[in-house]
Amino acid sequence: MIISLLTDYGHEDEFVGVCHAVMRDIAPDVPIVDLTHGITRYGVRQGAIVLRNALPYVPTGVHVAIVDPQVGTERRGVALRTGDGRALVGPDNGLLSLAWETCGGVVEAVDISRSPHRLEPVSATFHGRDIFAPVAARLAAGAELAEAGQHLDPDELQVLALPHAEVREGEVVAHVLLVDRFGNASLDIGHADLAGSGLTLGKPVEIEVRAKGGGSGGGPPDAGERFIATFAQTFADVRPGDVILYEDAYRMLAVAVNRGDAGAALRLSPDARVVLRPR
Amino acid sequence: MIISLLTDYGHEDEFVGVCHAVMRDIAPDVPIVDLTHGITRYGVRQGAIVLRNALPYVPTGVHVAIVDPQVGTERRGVALRTGDGRALVGPDNGLLSLAWETCGGVVEAVDISRSPHRLEPVSATFHGRDIFAPVAARLAAGAELAEAGQHLDPDELQVLALPHAEVREGEVVAHVLLVDRFGNASLDIGHADLAGSGLTLGKPVEIEVRAKGGGSGGGPPDAGERFIATFAQTFADVRPGDVILYEDAYRMLAVAVNRGDAGAALRLSPDARVVLRPR
Amino acid sequence: MIISLLTDYGHEDEFVGVCHAVMRDIAPDVPIVDLTHGITRYGVRQGAIVLRNALPYVPTGVHVAIVDPQVGTERRGVALRTGDGRALVGPDNGLLSLAWETCGGVVEAVDISRSPHRLEPVSATFHGRDIFAPVAARLAAGAELAEAGQHLDPDELQVLALPHAEVREGEVVAHVLLVDRFGNASLDIGHADLAGSGLTLGKPVEIEVRAKGGGSGGGPPDAGERFIATFAQTFADVRPGDVILYEDAYRMLAVAVNRGDAGAALRLSPDARVVLRPR
């Protein structure tokens, strides 16, 4: 048994520490793994993707995720069981949905907004401390999911929609999902989905970067800035400073600059549209 | 048993990691909870408030706090026992005083500057590693407080003075104590202390923000910038971008902007004076 | 047994958390100490110095360090045993070399690039997750070093070269090795090495700061900006705002400004040359 924790709380304040303290009080011997607390403030989609990417490497346990712009509203807090036996705990705003899709779906769910495990009085703004941490710790200590809240039809849970990359002949239109600390930008397409695009490992690729949302709808797409990259296996295949298209550690295509910062150099930010063409 | 740790060490350097290592060597099985290491450099008052706020959620144990602008001077290091059975360890500069006030006062104290548990040679600048961490770990491992240093009269301990909010008819003059990562600013007054002010939940409030220290003394107060807020229970009670006065997670009144950053928008920083008036 | 971890991964992304998760899966009960994840991106030398400084305070165990600009190239990953019984794990780029020099040298080494303990498929960019974390956790769980990879002659390991301070009559030419969060700058010379320099505790010192690399070679050295400091034992020996030369917590000479930021005020950054002269 393990508890994992992913939030947008950052490390400046005591939010993470207080959640740890609450969990330690209830489940003193369960290891807690901090997946990250560096999700962009209110970055529900970023949190959902990072959780989905990380979970295959995390032992089965109770997995808490908190990115919660609607805290204090009527949005539900939920705890649920996935098909592969994990428990997920967090706000019902789509944050957990990409994870459960890759963990066998939802087999049981409860609304924990008024959980018997919550700390009273529940504050309007810190449900991590008052609801999510104590519920997760009780589950990790052996409590039944059904006792943690009110039964909820899994079909009522919020699901997150991601953009979809399009593969055409001679062109792939993808979107930036994440940009990491090193400036490497992950796209919403995997190597396996490139068939028919004409993109070939070892060959040059033209990367056109369009602003977030630019050129959508029925009109002609806005032209973006263009860069020449190499579609390669590792950074070592190109010179320092060169742009590389590669399969990243979560098996998604990504754009990087060898020893540089692609996010800054190519102005890649989440939701930017990236058109890839063989050269 | 648990050890909690709160410092201004940040996460860039190895200071926190080395303190953990020292404690692990002495008390390998005691869980360590990092409350936060994001206290502003030398922010003794901020550290004192955060420690006081967090401790009610932390299991009873040994609680180390280090914000220590006078390290290397003759200021004492202390370890003490509170009325409710906690051990507090840190510099004797007021940092621990708000915590012990809410934990039953000090029932026993020792000066640990030359503690038998310290690591020799004691450096002039890193007492976290050489004094506070080893003393805390020994206490967590079962050592007696009296053995950790020289007996000290609790009345000799440094105590921190906080500003005091004033409630008048039709006006509350408060001060910003903390501003968190989300820009939410906690004031030095609780909801329960508003009687007679005319402030009413659900009604509009005028918030006048004066610069730090401005208008004190006997002269006429400097006028500050004014904002209209709603005195509400949760963020959801106002529109995104609106200013809200609410009771925060530690039951203090606080100023926030729904989905925004009140610290930046209203120029709220610690010690700023905030005048609240019903509208 | 303990696992320690030092990287340049930062806390914004999930890299550290995923490494923890992988290690928890293999060695659930071994404590993990995060020495720091704040090493400057690709700061191999900084990482090597911090690891060397910190290890004497860390219980004997498996010590992972990852600062790896060449990940994805043919550079080796290594695991090795030191003379004093520690296991070190990381890329073979010199990062581990300062540590093993102070830990009794290398008595056994293996190339873990194709370790049987690695996670398949090994990504090109995240060897922390796929190689270093699982190998370290297996070692911590009791696996033999010889089983973790292919035997390697310790003499083939990469070794890091540091600059050398020069002590002349009336002058010490030193270099900045590290600048910490507080702006304190450690030099490549210890108090014990000052004999003959004329520098005396309690006396004033002239500090001349030359730009990184400036004045090297055979020509006349570029003149730098000059400051007057006190060679003192602790910050308390000088007034706030004064410059101090002192022995830091790792027994190296360092430059600080009492209650200030010497790195900013004196423009001290790693590799800057610092000339010390008695006044």
Side-chain angles (χ1 to χ4, degrees):
Chain A
M1 182 47 61
I2 202 175
I3 298 171
S4 75
L5 196 52
L6 173 150
T7 75
D8 67 347
Y9 285 165
H11 286 282
E12 290 166 57
D13 301 296
E14 78 290 0
F15 308 140
V16 173
V18 168
C19 288
H20 274 240
V22 167
M23 296 190 292
R24 276 276 157 264
D25 199 30
I26 297 168
D29 300 322
V30 177
I32 302 169
V33 171
D34 293 295
L35 290 179
T36 182
H37 301 290
I39 301 299
T40 304
R41 183 186 181 186
Y42 299 163
V44 174
R45 203 177 83 180
Q46 181 194 2
I49 296 167
V50 171
L51 183 66
R52 176 194 68 186
N53 287 350
L55 272 194
Y57 297 93
V58 183
T60 294
V62 181
H63 310 286
V64 184
I66 311 170
V67 182
D68 195 6
Q70 297 162 296
V71 65
T73 71
E74 288 302 302
R75 74 97 187 87
R76 277 189 293 248
V78 293
L80 57 91
R81 183 77 55 189
T82 61
D84 66 357
R86 296 176 187 272
L88 305 184
V89 176
D92 181 25
N93 61 7
L95 177 65
L96 307 172
S97 65
L98 303 182
W100 81 57
E101 284 171 11
T102 62
C103 292
V106 180
V107 296
E108 186 185 358
V110 292
D111 179 340
I112 59 172
S113 305
R114 285 172 184 75
S115 173
H117 305 322
R118 72 192 190 278
L119 300 191
E120 292 274 24
V122 172
S123 64
T125 52
F126 195 2
H127 287 192
R129 178 192 72 188
D130 299 333
I131 297 179
F132 301 127
V135 167
R138 294 274 180 186
L139 295 175
E144 293 296 324
L145 187 69
E147 296 165 11
Q150 286 196 294
H151 175 77
L152 185 62
D153 183 341
D155 289 341
E156 290 183 45
L157 294 167
Q158 297 294 313
V159 173
L160 204 73
L162 285 186
H164 286 288
E166 292 169 56
V167 178
R168 303 170 190 158
E169 193 175 325
E171 192 174 90
V172 172
V173 180
H175 308 82
V176 174
L177 291 182
L178 294 176
V179 181
D180 73 16
R181 151 177 161 97
F182 298 112
N184 304 336
S186 301
L187 306 181
D188 56 350
I189 185 163
H191 193 160
D193 307 317
L194 291 178
S197 70
L199 294 173
T200 314
L201 199 63
K203 300 285 182 185
V205 191
E206 180 186 273
I207 300 182
E208 182 185 336
V209 180
R210 294 179 189 162
K212 186 169 149 177
S216 62
D222 306 333
E225 204 172 353
R226 297 176 182 212
F227 304 86
I228 299 300
T230 303
F231 185 14
Q233 247 170 334
T234 81
F235 295 129
D237 295 337
V238 304
R239 286 170 304 187
D242 280 0
V243 184
I244 176 176
L245 179 74
Y246 68 109
E247 188 180 68
D248 76 7
Y250 299 105
R251 319 207 73 178
M252 300 305 285
L253 285 189
V255 179
V257 169
N258 188 16
R259 307 252 183 149
D261 182 327
L266 281 68
R267 296 197 211 165
L268 295 166
S269 57
D271 270 335
R273 302 209 313 159
V274 171
V275 186
L276 310 172
R277 297 183 192 94
R279 281 285 295 238
Chain B
M1 181 48 60
I2 202 176
I3 298 172
S4 75
L5 197 52
L6 173 150
T7 75
D8 67 348
Y9 286 164
H11 286 282
E12 291 167 57
D13 302 294
E14 78 290 359
F15 308 139
V16 173
V18 168
C19 288
H20 273 240
V22 167
M23 295 190 293
R24 277 275 158 264
D25 198 31
I26 297 168
D29 300 322
V30 177
I32 303 169
V33 171
D34 293 294
L35 290 179
T36 183
H37 301 290
I39 301 298
T40 305
R41 183 187 182 186
Y42 298 161
V44 174
R45 202 178 83 180
Q46 181 194 3
I49 296 168
V50 171
L51 183 67
R52 177 195 66 185
N53 288 350
L55 272 193
Y57 297 93
V58 183
T60 295
V62 181
H63 311 286
V64 184
I66 311 171
V67 182
D68 196 6
Q70 297 162 297
V71 64
T73 71
E74 288 301 302
R75 74 95 188 89
R76 277 188 293 248
V78 294
L80 57 90
R81 182 77 55 189
T82 61
D84 66 357
R86 297 176 186 272
L88 305 183
V89 176
D92 181 25
N93 62 7
L95 176 66
L96 307 172
S97 65
L98 303 183
W100 81 57
E101 284 170 11
T102 61
C103 292
V106 179
V107 297
E108 186 185 358
V110 291
D111 179 340
I112 59 172
S113 306
R114 287 172 182 76
S115 173
H117 305 322
R118 71 192 191 277
L119 301 192
E120 292 274 22
V122 171
S123 64
T125 52
F126 195 1
H127 287 193
R129 178 191 72 189
D130 299 332
I131 298 179
F132 302 127
V135 166
R138 295 274 179 186
L139 294 175
E144 292 296 324
L145 187 70
E147 296 165 11
Q150 287 195 293
H151 175 77
L152 184 63
D153 184 341
D155 289 341
E156 290 182 46
L157 294 167
Q158 297 294 311
V159 173
L160 204 73
L162 285 186
H164 286 288
E166 291 168 57
V167 178
R168 302 170 192 159
E169 193 175 326
E171 191 176 89
V172 173
V173 180
H175 308 83
V176 174
L177 292 181
L178 293 176
V179 181
D180 73 17
R181 149 177 164 97
F182 298 112
N184 303 336
S186 301
L187 306 181
D188 57 350
I189 186 163
H191 193 160
D193 308 317
L194 291 179
S197 70
L199 294 172
T200 313
L201 199 63
K203 300 284 182 184
V205 191
E206 180 186 273
I207 300 182
E208 182 185 335
V209 181
R210 294 178 188 162
K212 188 168 149 179
S216 63
D222 305 335
E225 205 171 353
R226 296 176 183 211
F227 304 86
I228 299 300
T230 302
F231 184 15
Q233 248 171 332
T234 80
F235 296 130
D237 295 336
V238 304
R239 286 169 305 188
D242 280 359
V243 184
I244 176 176
L245 179 74
Y246 69 108
E247 187 180 68
D248 76 7
Y250 299 104
R251 320 207 71 177
M252 300 305 285
L253 285 190
V255 180
V257 169
N258 188 17
R259 308 252 183 147
D261 182 327
L266 281 67
R267 297 196 210 165
L268 295 167
S269 57
D271 270 335
R273 302 207 316 157
V274 171
V275 186
L276 310 173
R277 296 184 193 94
R279 279 285 295 236
Chain C
M1 181 49 61
I2 202 175
I3 298 172
S4 75
L5 196 52
L6 174 150
T7 75
D8 67 347
Y9 285 165
H11 287 282
E12 291 168 55
D13 302 296
E14 77 291 359
F15 308 140
V16 173
V18 168
C19 288
H20 273 242
V22 167
M23 296 191 292
R24 276 276 158 264
D25 199 29
I26 297 168
D29 299 322
V30 177
I32 303 170
V33 171
D34 293 295
L35 290 179
T36 182
H37 301 289
I39 301 299
T40 304
R41 184 187 180 184
Y42 299 163
V44 174
R45 202 177 84 179
Q46 182 195 1
I49 296 167
V50 171
L51 183 66
R52 177 194 68 186
N53 287 350
L55 272 193
Y57 297 92
V58 183
T60 294
V62 181
H63 310 287
V64 185
I66 311 171
V67 182
D68 195 5
Q70 297 162 297
V71 64
T73 71
E74 289 302 302
R75 75 96 188 88
R76 277 189 293 249
V78 293
L80 57 91
R81 182 76 56 189
T82 61
D84 66 357
R86 296 176 187 271
L88 305 184
V89 176
D92 180 24
N93 61 7
L95 176 66
L96 307 171
S97 65
L98 303 183
W100 81 56
E101 283 170 11
T102 61
C103 292
V106 179
V107 296
E108 185 184 0
V110 292
D111 179 340
I112 58 171
S113 306
R114 285 172 185 75
S115 172
H117 305 323
R118 73 192 189 279
L119 300 191
E120 291 276 22
V122 171
S123 64
T125 52
F126 195 1
H127 287 193
R129 179 192 71 189
D130 298 333
I131 297 179
F132 301 127
V135 166
R138 295 273 180 188
L139 294 175
E144 293 295 324
L145 186 70
E147 297 165 10
Q150 287 195 294
H151 175 77
L152 184 63
D153 184 341
D155 289 341
E156 290 182 45
L157 293 167
Q158 297 293 312
V159 173
L160 204 73
L162 285 187
H164 285 288
E166 292 169 56
V167 178
R168 303 170 191 158
E169 193 175 326
E171 192 176 87
V172 172
V173 180
H175 308 83
V176 174
L177 292 182
L178 294 176
V179 181
D180 73 17
R181 150 177 162 97
F182 298 112
N184 303 336
S186 300
L187 307 180
D188 57 351
I189 185 163
H191 193 160
D193 308 316
L194 291 179
S197 70
L199 295 172
T200 313
L201 199 63
K203 300 284 182 184
V205 191
E206 181 187 271
I207 300 181
E208 183 185 335
V209 180
R210 295 178 188 162
K212 188 168 147 177
S216 62
D222 306 334
E225 204 172 353
R226 297 176 182 211
F227 304 87
I228 298 300
T230 302
F231 185 16
Q233 249 171 330
T234 81
F235 295 129
D237 294 336
V238 304
R239 284 169 306 186
D242 279 0
V243 184
I244 175 175
L245 180 74
Y246 69 108
E247 187 180 66
D248 76 6
Y250 299 105
R251 320 207 71 177
M252 300 303 285
L253 285 190
V255 180
V257 169
N258 188 18
R259 308 253 181 146
D261 182 327
L266 281 68
R267 296 196 211 165
L268 295 166
S269 57
D271 270 334
R273 302 208 316 157
V274 171
V275 187
L276 310 172
R277 297 185 192 93
R279 280 284 294 235

